[in-house]
Amino acid sequence: MVKHTPTSVVTIERFIIEQERQFPEATGELSGILYDVALAAKMIANKVRSAGLADILGAEGTENVQGEAQQKLDVIANDIIVKAMDHGGRLCAMASEEEPDIIQIPDGFKCGKYVLTFDPLDGSSNIDVNVPVGTIFSVMRKITRGTRGEMEDMLQPGRRQVAAGYIIYGSSTMLVYTTGQGAHGFTLDPSIGEFLLSHPNIRIPDTGKYLSVNDSYEQVWDENVKSLMRRYRGLEGDRKPLNVRYVGSLVADFHRNLLGGGVFAYPANAKSPRGKLRLLYEASPLAFVVEQAGGAASDGRQRILDIEPTELHQRTPLFIGSKDEVELATQMLAAGALVGAG
């Protein structure tokens, strides 16, 4: 394993190679997928940096499969990822939050043994006001027998992920990923165009400092959720209150809480009884990352990584971050659900 010291320069490629060497049976295909993701991230970062100078701000005038208005950068980021990933011979299919169906590998290109799911530009509605946005991705092994990817390959529980991560385009561009060997962060050095290891073996504090939640939905939360939020704020019980910090870009809120400790909460509510965030493109990948960093992720009743997906664009409630805060949510909401059922 690469030893990171204040004077070392460890590129993401070097780091991935060193990790791969721990597994003599590795073919290098997964490493290739991660290289391609890093390349796409550089290209998207360049577009985000120049968004105010080029005509790529604002709405595209179309809607995605969820009925949400697409931003121009949503479409650009989606195209960049697809074109960066479809020809390498490592994937058999992809799925994007912005596309209604599976994205097949074009004819003439080799199909591989992995599938990729991704949210090309999380928080894109904030791009016009210069708020950090991000990309989220997940990699799973193909489980069907055919050459091409099928729906069954996509609808796997998060515990079967072999890699997942996110890129945050903020004051600096940072890529955080895991292959089940811890969570590691790399910062893009624009002067050399390389992601350099900056945050090896990230560990999230067990107890949180921050609460990230859109409390404008309080009027449509059920009483169990309201009670949980009062507990987080120190208004009930004997807990120290969490500081409320909410950006509105999932990647930005998650990243701050991962490094500083905290919980991001998007509960189910009367308007969205199944939750709002997407299981395959947002919740599962970030759950894999946070668990590898010592944290937890739940839908309020069960571990996110144990949910069996039934739809490509399935939504879920999400409580993710420091272990103590997520466990409190699961305890209070699951107990409340049992009382309600009784």
Side-chain angles (χ1 to χ4, degrees):
M1 175 62 68
V2 172
K3 298 295 184 182
H4 181 60
T5 68
T7 58
S8 65
V9 177
V10 181
T11 65
I12 191 169
E13 183 174 4
R14 176 185 169 191
F15 187 85
I16 290 170
I17 289 171
E18 291 293 333
Q19 279 204 316
E20 185 183 307
R21 286 175 180 164
Q22 299 177 61
F23 303 92
E25 72 282 4
T27 63
E29 289 185 61
L30 182 58
S31 297
I33 292 170
L34 295 172
Y35 299 152
D36 289 343
V37 168
L39 173 62
K42 294 175 191 178
M43 297 170 70
I44 295 171
N46 183 57
K47 294 294 185 183
V48 170
R49 276 200 308 273
S50 60
L53 302 175
D55 185 26
I56 53 177
L57 286 176
E60 177 72 5
T62 56
E63 293 184 346
N64 64 15
V65 66
Q66 287 87 21
E68 299 165 336
Q70 288 182 308
Q71 303 297 308
K72 292 178 181 178
L73 270 172
D74 281 321
V75 177
I76 291 170
N78 188 73
D79 289 347
I80 286 173
I81 294 173
V82 171
K83 291 173 182 176
M85 309 296 299
D86 67 3
H87 63 281
R90 305 173 184 103
L91 300 176
C92 63
M94 293 176 273
S96 166
E97 182 180 317
E98 299 299 327
E99 303 258 4
D101 300 310
I102 293 175
I103 304 166
Q104 294 291 354
I105 302 302
D107 293 336
F109 291 144
K110 177 186 173 185
C111 284
K113 62 181 182 182
Y114 293 95
V115 296
L116 175 77
T117 62
F118 60 93
D119 180 351
L121 205 62
D122 171 77
S124 57
S125 61
N126 289 321
I127 194 73
D128 290 3
V129 291
N130 217 14
V131 167
V133 293
T135 297
I136 309 172
F137 66 92
S138 167
V139 182
M140 289 178 288
R141 285 191 180 88
K142 188 182 195 310
I143 57 174
T144 57
R145 291 191 173 187
T147 301
R148 291 183 171 275
E150 301 175 24
M151 189 62 75
E152 187 180 346
D153 298 310
M154 301 296 176
L155 300 183
Q156 299 184 61
R159 62 178 179 272
R160 293 186 184 167
Q161 293 174 103
V162 294
Y166 64 92
I167 302 98
I168 181 169
Y169 311 104
S171 55
S172 62
T173 297
M174 192 169 166
L175 187 156
V176 178
Y177 86 93
T178 182
T179 56
Q181 307 296 314
H184 310 283
F186 302 79
T187 301
L188 181 63
D189 184 341
S191 66
I192 60 173
E194 290 282 1
F195 279 104
L196 303 180
L197 181 64
S198 55
H199 295 69
N201 198 30
I202 297 170
R203 304 301 296 174
I204 185 171
D206 287 341
T207 301
K209 183 187 298 184
Y210 304 113
L211 167 64
S212 303
V213 65
N214 185 350
D215 55 13
S216 68
Y217 288 108
E218 183 171 359
Q219 59 186 330
V220 289
W221 287 339
D222 66 28
E223 290 303 318
N224 298 325
V225 172
K226 291 178 182 178
S227 180
L228 171 64
M229 296 304 159
R230 288 195 294 270
R231 187 77 67 90
Y232 280 149
R233 289 182 168 88
L235 300 176
E236 290 183 3
D238 55 0
R239 288 173 50 92
K240 180 180 178 181
L242 299 177
N243 296 310
V244 178
R245 299 286 186 274
Y246 185 70
V247 174
S249 291
L250 170 60
V251 166
D253 283 311
F254 176 82
H255 183 70
R256 179 195 54 244
N257 294 347
L258 182 68
L259 298 183
V263 59
F264 175 94
Y266 207 118
N269 60 56
K271 291 184 177 179
S272 303
R274 298 181 63 189
K276 177 75 181 299
L277 300 174
R278 287 72 178 183
L279 179 62
L280 295 180
Y281 312 112
E282 297 169 314
S284 279
L286 296 183
F288 190 18
V289 171
V290 81
E291 285 198 6
Q292 286 294 311
S298 168
D299 67 353
R301 299 187 183 186
Q302 64 174 320
R303 180 181 177 229
I304 288 291
L305 296 185
D306 286 336
I307 297 174
E308 299 279 349
T310 58
E311 303 171 21
L312 197 58
H313 296 283
Q314 184 170 331
R315 297 175 188 260
T316 181
L318 181 63
F319 300 86
I320 187 168
S322 295
K323 185 176 292 185
D324 291 351
E325 315 309 334
V326 175
E327 287 180 351
L328 175 64
T330 303
Q331 290 167 5
M332 292 187 64
L333 299 183
L338 290 174
V339 170

